[in-house]
Amino acid sequence: GRALLVLLLSATVSLLGGLIFGYELGIISGALLQLQIDFHLGCFKQEVLVSSLLTGALLASLVGGILIDRHGRRRAILVSNLVLLFGSLILTLARSFIGLVIGRMTVGFAISVSSMACCIYVSEMVAAHQRGLLVSLYEAGITVGILLSYALNYIFADVDEGWRYMFGLAIAPTAMQFLSILFLPVNPIKLNSWDSDCQKGLIQLQTAEDREVAEREPYKEKHYSFLDLFRTRDNMRRRTLVGLGLVLFQQFTGQPNVLGYASKIFHSVGFQSNSSAILASVGLGAIKVVATLVAMAFADKAGRRVLLMAGCVVMAISVTTIGLTTCIAPLAMARDCTAAADPNASHSLTQHPLTPLSSQPAGSHVQPALGEGNSQAGPGFAATKSLTKAFASAQSREVVTDSSHTQKMGLASQSRKETAESSDPPFGGTPLTEHMVLNWITLLSMMAFVSAFSIGFGPMTWLVLSEIYPAGIRGRAFAFCNSFNWAANLLISLSFLDLIDAIGFSWMFLLYGLMGVMAVIFIYLFVPETKGQSLEEIDQQFSRKR
């Protein structure tokens, strides 16, 4: 009975952690529409407000690992909950622009620490055959949180100072997570339990030789310095290569930007009204939820490596298809931010809303940006130079993190923009029917891309990161990789429109397809299969293999 209670509470902590992450990433897109008016925010201030979450999250990824390793995963989650409650109160009661920025930075710091600590804590708490399911539950929480933020954006859109309710409602799931984790053990890691786990049949060692080594050398926790991540000791350098490769490929395969053009694609295939575009974007969000549930179901059966490679192959095919179809039927790209601040443009807010994008637990993790503002996404938030860029930024912590999930929000807000811009002809002079076919192919390819990311890179990146490092440095290693995820997301989103100007939209997506192929090769060569193995067994195998 106690084991079942621990399992249910672990699942609750993981799900709520992801839900809070996705909600905070997504809610800004709707709140910003009201904040623009209430606080008279121009382009620059909108960028500052959106990127403030990114600033807090980046700071957390630099110092959060030390907190997690030195003071424990459980305490780190509890502290992040208290900080998040404090940040939500600041936002709810804010009377000035500075108050909003401080509140969002505080929230960004909290969700970044929480995303890392949740994935690590849950991975150490549960048995090997349940680890994939429960860590992937975090990614599912992110997608649900984003959908929830869409719904609340819609509900409070016409409420006076509705943004206060949007920010304040994050207090409820935060308080629930805080209470849930109070009933969980302080130290989930039982480093001397590896042999007993094997004897119970939870983890089948792969060979008789492994079994003999395990009996001769009982597992002991080792102490590491941060610089050990780059040394050959216990093969740490290869582990760092695997971790950095996964988080960088997660971004460089186009995740932060593909959804930035979803609303244009919806518009081009006939979703003309605001409501139908919103429905379409929510449908895309629902696809992400379903795909993440599929990943949860198969993470411990098919394995992390198989899902990563399958997801990468589908992503590469999808973005290549988008690149080829947009060669023939190009999509118009808007890249100015002034309309959002124009009081005479009734649809300016919807035309250039913040857009959140998801990913990680870190999770993947994402927020939207307005105009030339900065958009935060997935495991990282991206600062962008234009509204389109804002939409482009995507998730992951995911963490997770990948991320990744707030992207859907961006879709909804940009979909509304698109309808306001519907006076522009979506295509050139090619026959309409041919363009419709090509644009439906583009739409289906984008859905396939979203599904593939949510099955592969979205949840699996953070799951593998929570497994491959020794317990003594797991928090710092996870945070180190997560900081690169945020930085890469920022870089991709900032440079996206400039690259489109330089090489063209279609070539950009063909380049993403090439990166997807390279990611498949990287995973095949370097990423080991970790399903069904205890964390200690994974560590010992890494230590022995060169």
Side-chain angles (χ1 to χ4, degrees):
R2 185 173 181 276
L4 179 62
L5 178 64
V6 167
L7 184 66
L8 290 175
L9 286 174
S10 298
T12 302
V13 167
S14 183
L15 183 64
L16 286 174
L19 187 143
I20 295 164
F21 193 99
Y23 181 83
E24 291 290 0
L25 292 178
I27 201 66
I28 188 69
S29 109
L32 193 68
L33 304 181
Q34 296 184 353
L35 292 170
Q36 270 189 122
I37 299 168
D38 291 355
F39 289 88
H40 309 292
L41 302 183
C43 258
F44 176 72
K45 284 190 173 182
Q46 292 172 44
E47 295 167 18
V48 170
L49 181 57
V50 174
S51 59
S52 58
L53 187 76
L54 170 62
T55 307
L58 271 174
L59 180 63
S61 67
L62 297 176
V63 302
I66 300 171
L67 170 67
I68 292 168
D69 278 341
R70 288 194 181 167
H71 301 287
R73 291 72 159 121
R74 179 176 179 270
R75 190 172 296 172
I77 299 173
L78 289 171
V79 169
S80 73
N81 286 156
L82 293 175
V83 173
L84 185 58
L85 289 171
F86 180 65
S88 297
L89 281 175
I90 293 176
L91 286 167
T92 305
L93 304 174
R95 296 290 173 193
S96 68
F97 174 71
I98 296 296
L100 290 171
V101 171
I102 293 173
R104 288 300 283 176
M105 283 185 67
T106 306
V107 166
F109 185 93
I111 64 173
S112 183
V113 171
S114 174
S115 68
M116 297 183 289
C118 277
C119 289
I120 295 173
Y121 184 76
V122 172
S123 73
E124 294 171 343
M125 175 69 68
V126 300
H129 64 283
Q130 299 164 328
R131 195 169 57 238
L133 171 69
L134 290 182
V135 176
S136 299
L137 195 59
Y138 186 93
E139 184 81 2
I142 292 178
T143 59
V144 173
I146 291 169
L147 281 177
L148 178 62
S149 67
Y150 292 164
L152 292 178
N153 277 343
Y154 181 77
I155 291 170
F156 293 112
D158 299 319
V159 176
D160 187 41
E161 292 197 330
W163 56 271
R164 295 190 187 276
Y165 299 101
M166 296 179 194
F167 289 139
L169 284 171
I171 291 173
T174 305
M176 289 171 62
Q177 188 187 37
F178 184 88
L179 294 174
S180 298
I181 204 166
L182 287 177
F183 295 96
L184 282 170
V186 176
N187 295 312
I189 321 172
K190 301 180 180 62
L191 291 169
N192 58 354
S193 68
W194 186 52
D195 292 330
S196 59
D197 276 349
C198 298
Q199 290 161 10
K200 289 174 192 168
L202 289 179
I203 297 104
Q204 295 299 324
L205 291 181
Q206 306 213 331
T207 63
E209 179 187 353
D210 283 342
R211 229 175 263 114
E212 290 170 11
V213 171
E215 289 166 3
R216 287 199 308 270
E217 306 171 12
Y219 187 85
K220 294 183 179 64
E221 179 176 7
K222 301 174 184 176
H223 296 284
Y224 296 88
S225 72
F226 178 74
L227 291 178
D228 284 331
L229 285 174
F230 312 101
R231 294 175 179 149
T232 55
R233 175 190 176 190
D234 291 337
N235 223 357
M236 291 296 289
R237 191 181 293 164
R238 180 184 172 221
R239 304 184 205 217
T240 304
L241 171 70
V242 170
L244 288 181
L246 286 175
V247 297
L248 292 176
F249 274 119
Q250 184 189 49
Q251 299 300 320
F252 290 146
T253 46
Q255 162 68 2
N257 293 324
V258 168
L259 286 191
Y261 295 95
S263 59
K264 288 195 178 290
I265 295 170
F266 286 139
H267 184 220
S268 67
V269 297
F271 293 100
Q272 299 295 333
S273 72
N274 286 350
S275 57
S276 63
I278 294 169
L279 275 178
S281 64
V282 170
L284 203 60
I287 289 173
K288 283 185 75 71
V289 173
V290 172
T292 307
L293 294 176
V294 171
M296 286 170 51
F298 288 97
D300 292 313
K301 296 188 176 95
R304 292 75 158 131
R305 185 178 153 91
V306 170
L307 291 180
L308 277 168
M309 292 181 65
C312 271
V313 168
V314 175
M315 286 168 66
I317 294 172
S318 301
V319 288
T320 301
T321 304
I322 292 174
L324 293 174
T325 55
T326 52
C327 269
I328 308 168
L331 300 173
M333 298 299 149
R335 84 174 283 186
D336 66 285
C337 152
T338 52
D342 180 3
N344 299 319
S346 60
H347 290 286
S348 61
L349 295 182
T350 46
Q351 287 174 332
H352 306 278
L354 291 186
T355 315
L357 306 181
S358 83
S359 185
Q360 154 345 242
S364 247
H365 341 109
V366 188
Q367 245 188 331
L370 248 178
E372 296 182 345
N374 303 342
S375 170
Q376 307 160 351
F381 303 107
T384 58
K385 295 182 186 173
S386 74
L387 299 173
T388 320
K389 281 188 185 171
F391 281 96
S393 52
Q395 91 175 346
S396 131
R397 208 196 191 210
E398 203 56 88
V399 338
V400 70
T401 259
D402 104 139
S403 240
S404 212
H405 315 202
T406 29
Q407 303 164 321
K408 303 161 202 165
M409 281 219 59
L411 298 184
S413 39
Q414 184 149 357
S415 309
R416 295 192 289 270
K417 305 177 189 183
E418 301 304 329
T419 53
E421 298 170 338
S422 57
S423 56
D424 295 335
F427 338 107
T430 326
L432 184 61
T433 51
E434 179 186 342
H435 270 299
M436 286 301 292
V437 171
L438 289 171
N439 280 292
W440 273 104
I441 292 174
T442 304
L443 175 60
L444 293 174
S445 298
M446 190 180 62
M447 290 178 170
F449 181 92
V450 168
S451 302
F453 184 89
S454 298
I455 287 173
F457 267 136
M460 295 303 122
T461 297
W462 311 111
L463 175 56
V464 172
L465 280 180
S466 68
E467 295 175 327
I468 62 175
Y469 292 103
I473 198 174
R474 194 170 288 140
R476 283 164 291 170
F478 198 109
F480 175 72
C481 293
N482 197 27
S483 65
F484 272 81
N485 191 26
W486 289 91
N489 190 299
L490 184 63
L491 173 67
I492 292 290
S493 299
L494 278 174
S495 60
F496 186 57
L497 289 188
D498 294 323
L499 279 172
I500 285 183
D501 285 345
I503 65 174
F505 182 85
S506 299
W507 282 104
M508 189 71 236
F509 275 71
L510 292 174
L511 182 60
Y512 286 150
L514 177 62
M515 294 301 294
V517 173
M518 293 172 63
V520 173
I521 296 171
F522 172 83
I523 293 165
Y524 179 78
L525 293 178
F526 293 106
V527 179
E529 182 54 75
T530 56
K531 71 171 180 178
Q533 302 174 15
S534 72
L535 296 177
E536 293 80 6
E537 183 183 358
I538 294 167
D539 183 30
Q540 291 206 354
Q541 288 183 345
F542 254 110
S543 298
R544 289 197 297 270
K545 288 180 183 174
R546 289 289 166 190

